[in-house]
Amino acid sequence: DKYAAMALLARVYFFKKDYAKAAEYAGYVIGNSNYELDDDVLALFQAETTTKECIFQLMSTLKNNSSGTLVSFYRKASNGKFGPSQGMWDIVTQDTAIDQRAKKWYAIINGKYYTTKFDQRFVHVTLFRLSEMYLTRAEARLNLGDAAGALADFNKVHTRAGFDPATSVTLNDLYNERLKELAFEGDHFHNLKRLEKDIAGQPYAQI
């Protein structure tokens, strides 16, 4: 629908560093749609489930499993081939006593790190969700000089994860929050390129 298109535009403009347009389109989705953040961070990653947070998904069924590759790559029961790097693990699990994402989205088995986002074999593959729109608008706002607006958007996601509201927010806070919230959903690679950071030891411009 049109909100999925607006979410796509918000993402594209964000990665192009056009923060005014990113804030505009993310704000349109936030302000005009009926989407809401889920109460439970795990809700969106249950088998064949769509929730009030989801903007657009690829649907999975017993006969047509859109999540097949993700399941084989990450699912614990499939002895997933990939998991968080040490650097990523240190960020996404740094607040395990509070952060519901750290508690529910990650596990260590026999010394190996796993994400549990794709443990359900027939999970729908979410391409856009509302928390991304809040984090996109938050960072765009901060880059545009709107610290109060950035903080309000940041706290929508931050408090849902279990934290008390923050009283201030920095770009580094937003980088880390985005990684914690959207890890393994196709965001981090593109965000590293936007930030002009090396990727797996390779210069971003060469990848």
Side-chain angles (χ1 to χ4, degrees):
D1 65 11
K2 68 178 180 180
Y3 296 116
M6 295 294 182
L8 174 59
L9 286 168
R11 182 184 291 175
V12 169
Y13 281 119
F14 181 71
F15 288 138
K16 286 169 63 68
K17 303 183 186 181
D18 187 338
Y19 297 121
K21 287 290 188 182
E24 175 186 346
Y25 286 109
Y28 186 92
V29 176
I30 293 167
N32 293 281
S33 71
N34 293 319
Y35 302 114
E36 301 175 19
L37 294 179
D38 294 326
D39 298 323
D40 183 356
V41 297
L42 200 56
L44 201 57
F45 301 98
Q46 300 305 303
E48 298 183 65
T49 297
T50 190
T51 73
K52 60 186 179 181
E53 182 172 339
C54 174
I55 299 171
F56 188 77
Q57 288 177 312
L58 298 179
M59 311 304 279
S60 291
T61 66
L62 292 176
K63 293 183 178 180
N64 184 11
N65 187 4
S66 297
S67 64
T69 301
L70 293 171
V71 168
S72 67
F73 279 176
Y74 299 117
R75 185 170 179 250
K76 297 197 305 294
S78 303
N79 192 27
K81 302 176 180 66
F82 303 106
S85 65
Q86 185 66 58
M88 177 182 283
W89 181 264
D90 291 343
I91 293 173
V92 299
T93 64
Q94 65 185 195
D95 296 298
T96 52
I98 301 173
D99 195 334
Q100 294 301 304
R101 299 164 301 193
K103 292 180 178 181
K104 296 182 177 182
W105 289 351
Y106 299 98
I108 303 176
I109 300 175
N110 296 325
K112 184 176 179 179
Y113 301 151
Y114 291 90
T115 178
T116 60
K117 283 185 172 181
F118 308 105
D119 275 4
Q120 301 295 327
R121 286 188 62 194
F122 299 101
V123 65
H124 298 328
V125 180
T126 299
L127 300 183
F128 299 103
R129 56 191 180 100
L130 191 62
S131 61
E132 179 189 346
M133 296 298 100
Y134 275 119
L135 292 172
T136 292
R137 190 172 70 171
E139 191 170 335
R141 280 176 159 178
L142 195 58
N143 276 293
L144 294 168
D146 181 5
L151 179 62
D153 286 340
F154 172 81
N155 274 328
K156 288 285 188 180
V157 178
H158 194 61
T159 56
R160 191 270 294 269
F163 295 94
D164 291 333
T167 57
S168 62
V169 66
T170 67
L171 285 173
N172 194 61
D173 294 331
L174 286 163
Y175 301 156
N176 287 341
E177 195 75 14
R178 192 176 185 95
L179 177 56
K180 291 176 182 179
E181 183 70 21
L182 301 175
F184 298 100
E185 296 180 47
D187 182 85
H188 189 49
F189 173 84
H190 299 287
N191 206 36
L192 288 173
K193 287 183 72 70
R194 176 182 70 91
L195 298 172
E196 301 181 3
K197 293 187 175 183
D198 290 352
I199 301 172
Q202 298 298 314
Y204 77 93
Q206 297 180 13
I207 296 178

